């Protein structure tokens, strides 16, 4: 062991300079001489000193902005009515979950409707109703709003191709009321008979609380913005800047994040008035850095991981060369002014003044020359850059999307001269996705021959039930342009009798609507895939919102249904 331990401590380190006679002074080191003057000349050229740029560094900024809140949401359509833009609700929810009350009702599967009805029965037990009355009230509620029963004719059963939905219906038939029917009845003023005044008051309390929950959970806040013929969403948000109406129009929104580039700006025929800025705010500018930018210090070499001068560009690729030259020469001129702005509003910069190290004030004007601009929305009327407006939309910053509960592939069948809407996945009555290709196929209609060895006659070949034909028809009687109309393929039994038609089962093709059309240009040869996916997002106010949104993406090329008419085929069992 050591009896004594020593620790060396140094408070200051100084160089030990040798006598001047031996050349030990620091004059030579501080002179910073270089062996290659060309290096200094190259650095001066890189920093644009030969161009005479001796401007000062920004040290202070004064900025004034004008804020105009967005006021309404309007689906694009001739009869679409605008609704007030609710606070804290993401714009994607308004665009994708919007529907009419009838459409919202049809989108609720059997399991969800039963869950809502069971929730009402649970709510009745939280308002102080006597236990002796609860069984009687439950029976009256079940009798008033029963779940749909199976029809007598199996061919007319809407769930005949959904075995999981049929099993769920049989289990819940007498155990839970239909929440959709119950909501309509309670909203119309229905109340069970024979209730005392106290019991009726308690029932009214439970009904009001449940209707409020049902409206928030299943009631749409806005009309539908889905343009069926175009297979896209179309909507707009509006505001008024000093009494001047301004519209942000989204003509081709295919789902997902509603970013600013989806919108075009429509300010009308008159220009916007000059911005009336709020009191100017003072703030410190911050230098913007990026990998590969020129180093600021003379004796510092740039990181070799990003080498902008090594970017190769062809002779016609002038844009890339201009970007690289701008990044190398003016990289030290990039500054950022942090500014906090509110969402769900349009912002304009009224004035921006920069004070540099020489105490000189420079007024910064918008960067635009009439043709080229930065961060400006496109004018909806002219297609040119619009006024310098910055829209901060109330979008969902984080979303969770599940597997599609419905998916339809729109494809062309050139051999049959048709288009087909192939329902790959539809939503079952249980709420889960159901693959339509797993459904049992129909028997191929074939008329048996009358004599042995004779050919059998087949009127039409069988096509899978989930292949819904799209028949080309004239868009207008006076035009040669066509569109696709949703049709049906006739089904025949072996004896020639016509069988009931197999309709579409999902919400995308809307089987309850007559005369469903799709534009010809929206279904190219590559096809289009439209799906419905469950989405969960949290709004700005902290509420959790759930909806089923549509997504549109490219298809997988042409399809072949092998559809043919009037065939003579060998009978079954013959070689």
């Amino acid at each position: 062991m050591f009896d004594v331990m020593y620790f060396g401590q140094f408070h200051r380190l100084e160089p030990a300079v040798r006598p001047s006679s031996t050349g030990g002074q620091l004059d030579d080191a501080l002179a910073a001489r270089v062996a290659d003057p060309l290096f200094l000349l190259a650095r001066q050229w890189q920093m644009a000193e030969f161009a005479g740029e001796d401007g000062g560094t920004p040290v202070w900024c004064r900025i004034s902005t004008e804020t105009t809140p967005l006021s309404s949401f309007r689906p694009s359509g001739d009869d679409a009515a605008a609704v007030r833009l609710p606070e804290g609700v993401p714009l994607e929810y308004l665009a994708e979950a919007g529907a009419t009350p009838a459409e919202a009702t049809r989108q609720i599967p059997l399991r969800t409707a039963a869950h809502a009805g069971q929730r009402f029965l649970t709510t009745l037990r939280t308002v102080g109703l006597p236990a002796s009355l609860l069984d009687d009230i439950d029976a009256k509620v079940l009798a008033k709003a029963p779940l749909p029963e199976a029809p007598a004719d199996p061919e007319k059963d809407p769930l005949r191709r959904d075995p999981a939905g049929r099993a769920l219906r049989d289990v819940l038939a007498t155990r839970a009321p239909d929440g959709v029917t119950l909501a309509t009845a309670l909203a119309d003023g229905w109340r069970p008979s024979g209730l005392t005044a106290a019991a009726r008051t308690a029932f009214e309390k439970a009904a009001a609380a449940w209707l409020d929950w049902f409206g928030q959970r299943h009631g749409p806040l806005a009309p539908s913005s889905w343009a069926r013929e175009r297979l896209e969403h179309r909507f707009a948000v509006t505001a008024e800047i000093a009494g001047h109406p301004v519209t942000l129009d989204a003509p081709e929104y295919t789902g997902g994040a509603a970013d600013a580039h989806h919108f075009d700006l429509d300010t009308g025929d008159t220009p916007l008035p000059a911005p009336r800025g709020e009191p100017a705010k003072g703030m410190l500018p911050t230098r913007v850095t990026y990998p590969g930018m020129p180093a600021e210090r003379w004796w510092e070499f740039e990181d070799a991981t990003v080498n902008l001068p090594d970017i190769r560009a062809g002779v016609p690729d002038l844009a890339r060369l201009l970007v690289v030259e701008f990044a190398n020469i003016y990289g030290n001129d990039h500054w950022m002014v942090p500014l906090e702005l509110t969402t769900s509003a349009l912002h304009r910069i009224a004035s921006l003044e920069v004070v540099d190290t020489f105490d000189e004030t420079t007024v910064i004007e918008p960067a635009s020359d009439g043709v080229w601009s930065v961060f400006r929305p496109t004018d909806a009327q002219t297609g040119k850059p619009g006024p310098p407006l910055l829209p901060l939309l109330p979008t969902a910053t984080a979303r969770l999307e599940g597997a599609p509960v419905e998916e339809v592939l729109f494809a062309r069948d050139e051999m049959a001269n048709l288009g087909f809407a192939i329902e790959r996945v539809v939503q079952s009555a249980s709420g889960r996705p159901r693959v339509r290709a797993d459904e049992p196929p129909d028997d191929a209609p074939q008329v048996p021959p009358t004599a042995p060895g004779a050919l059998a006659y087949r009127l039409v070949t069988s096509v899978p039930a989930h292949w819904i034909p799209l028949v080309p028809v004239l868009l207008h009687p006076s035009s040669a342009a066509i569109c696709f109309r949703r049709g049906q393929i006739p089904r025949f039994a072996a004896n020639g009798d016509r069988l009931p038609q197999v309709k579409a089962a999902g919400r995308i093709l809307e089987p309850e609507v007559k005369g469903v059309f799709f534009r010809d240009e929206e279904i190219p040869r590559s096809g289009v895939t439209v799906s419905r996916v469950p989405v969960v997002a949290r709004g700005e106010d902290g509420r959790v919102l759930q909806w089923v949104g549509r997504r549109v993406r490219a298809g997988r090329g042409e399809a072949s249904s092998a559809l043919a008419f009037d065939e003579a085929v060998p009978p079954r069992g013959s070689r």
Side-chain angles (χ1 to χ4, degrees):
M1 298 180 61
F2 295 95
D3 296 335
V4 182
M5 299 182 67
Y6 295 94
F7 296 92
Q9 298 181 0
F10 302 93
H11 297 279
R12 182 173 179 179
L13 298 179
E14 295 184 357
V17 182
R18 291 177 293 176
S20 300
S21 59
T22 60
Q25 292 293 336
L26 296 178
D27 298 341
D28 295 338
L30 296 177
R33 296 187 177 95
V34 294
D36 189 2
L38 185 60
F39 174 77
L40 276 182
L41 293 176
R43 294 295 287 177
Q44 286 180 289
W45 170 82
Q46 187 182 30
M47 302 300 291
E49 287 200 359
F50 297 149
E53 287 198 359
D54 296 328
T57 302
V59 294
W60 188 250
C61 290
R62 289 188 294 268
I63 186 170
S64 175
T65 60
E66 180 189 56
T67 300
T68 304
L70 298 174
S71 57
S72 63
F73 172 89
R74 177 180 55 83
S76 297
D78 298 334
D79 56 347
V83 297
R84 185 184 63 85
L85 196 65
E87 297 182 0
V89 177
L91 194 58
E92 296 90 343
Y93 177 78
L94 295 175
E96 299 177 5
T100 62
E103 292 173 347
T105 300
R106 288 192 292 265
Q107 293 177 5
I108 299 178
L110 177 66
R111 184 187 186 94
T112 305
H115 178 268
Q118 187 65 34
R119 183 185 178 95
F120 177 74
L121 300 182
T122 305
T123 306
L124 290 176
R125 284 150 177 79
T126 61
V127 294
L129 284 170
S132 57
L133 292 178
L134 288 175
D135 292 339
D136 182 63
I137 295 176
D138 291 349
K140 293 180 179 179
V141 170
L142 287 171
K144 181 63 179 179
L147 290 173
E149 299 179 355
D153 187 1
E155 289 290 338
K156 297 181 180 180
D157 189 359
L159 301 181
R160 64 189 182 94
R161 295 178 177 272
D162 185 4
R166 295 198 307 271
L168 182 67
R169 181 180 57 189
D170 296 340
V171 171
L172 300 177
T174 59
R175 291 177 172 84
D178 187 349
V180 177
T181 307
L182 180 62
T184 303
L186 293 177
D188 293 340
W190 175 84
R191 300 294 182 267
S193 59
L195 297 180
T196 63
R200 186 178 180 86
T201 302
F203 187 91
E204 292 280 357
K205 181 180 178 181
W210 183 82
L211 284 175
D212 182 66
W213 169 84
F214 188 86
Q216 293 183 4
R217 180 65 180 84
H218 301 288
L221 297 179
S224 176
S225 64
W226 177 251
R228 183 200 312 123
E229 291 187 356
R230 296 292 184 179
L231 298 178
E232 61 198 13
H233 293 277
R234 291 185 171 186
F235 62 93
V237 289
T238 60
E240 286 193 4
I241 299 179
H244 193 287
V246 176
T247 303
L248 286 174
D249 188 18
E252 298 179 1
Y253 173 69
T254 57
D259 297 323
H261 63 81
H262 288 107
F263 296 84
D264 295 334
L265 182 64
D266 187 1
T267 58
D269 299 331
T270 58
L272 291 177
R276 296 180 296 179
E278 302 173 355
K281 301 178 182 179
M283 57 194 65
L284 293 172
T286 305
R287 185 180 293 275
V288 176
T289 60
Y290 54 87
M293 68 178 298
E296 299 179 9
R297 302 183 60 179
W298 287 108
W299 309 110
E300 179 184 357
F301 290 92
E302 290 82 3
D303 191 356
T305 55
V306 179
N307 189 5
L308 292 179
D310 192 46
I311 295 180
R312 293 177 174 84
V315 176
D317 198 356
L318 298 179
R320 183 180 300 183
L321 296 176
L322 290 175
V323 170
V324 172
E325 184 177 1
F326 180 81
N328 281 325
I329 296 179
Y330 302 100
N332 58 337
D333 293 336
H334 297 168
W335 295 81
M336 176 179 62
V337 180
L339 181 63
E340 293 185 1
L341 299 174
T342 59
T343 59
S344 188
L346 298 177
H347 301 276
R348 284 197 297 175
I349 296 179
S351 63
L352 175 58
E353 298 178 351
V354 179
V355 182
D356 57 21
T357 51
F358 297 106
D359 199 19
E360 293 183 357
T361 301
T362 304
V363 179
I364 306 299
E365 299 292 341
S368 176
D369 62 354
V371 179
W372 180 86
S373 64
V374 179
F375 302 119
R376 287 195 180 189
T378 302
D379 190 280
Q381 298 182 4
T382 63
K384 297 181 179 180
L389 284 172
L390 175 63
L392 289 184
L393 304 173
T395 59
T397 57
R399 302 182 311 278
L400 293 178
E401 297 187 0
V405 296
E406 183 177 351
E407 184 177 273
V408 178
L409 171 62
F410 292 85
R412 291 178 179 264
D413 187 354
E414 298 295 343
M415 296 302 297
N417 198 22
L418 292 173
F420 279 94
I422 306 172
E423 284 190 321
R424 294 177 173 176
V425 179
V426 295
Q427 190 173 17
S428 170
S430 62
R432 297 180 179 180
R434 176 171 63 90
V435 181
R436 290 211 63 184
D438 295 341
E439 298 175 358
D442 298 324
D443 294 333
Q446 178 178 323
V447 179
T450 57
L455 296 178
Y457 173 71
R458 182 162 55 191
L459 178 63
V460 58
T461 58
S462 61
V463 176
H466 62 284
W467 284 52
I468 310 300
L470 303 177
V471 184
V473 296
L474 292 177
L475 183 62
H476 298 290
S478 59
S479 173
I482 66 170
C483 64
F484 289 103
R485 177 178 58 85
R486 187 198 62 201
Q488 295 178 347
I489 295 181
R491 301 169 62 243
F492 298 92
N495 58 359
D497 295 339
R498 187 156 185 167
L499 300 176
Q501 297 294 336
V502 179
K503 298 182 179 180
R507 304 306 323 151
I508 295 177
L509 296 181
E510 303 182 43
E512 71 285 345
V513 179
K514 295 183 179 180
V516 175
F517 296 89
F518 303 96
R519 290 298 183 98
D520 172 53
E521 61 270 19
E522 300 298 337
I523 306 178
R525 295 187 62 182
S526 59
V528 176
T529 301
V530 182
S531 58
R532 295 174 63 239
V533 298
V535 185
V536 178
R538 189 182 294 274
E540 295 180 355
D541 56 356
R543 287 188 299 168
V544 177
L545 301 173
Q546 304 178 20
W547 71 92
V548 179
R550 286 176 167 87
R551 301 289 181 267
V552 182
R553 64 182 189 274
R556 296 185 178 180
E558 297 181 3
S560 177
S561 61
L563 178 63
F565 298 90
D566 297 331
E567 286 189 342
V569 296
R572 295 180 181 178
S574 63
R575 295 183 179 180

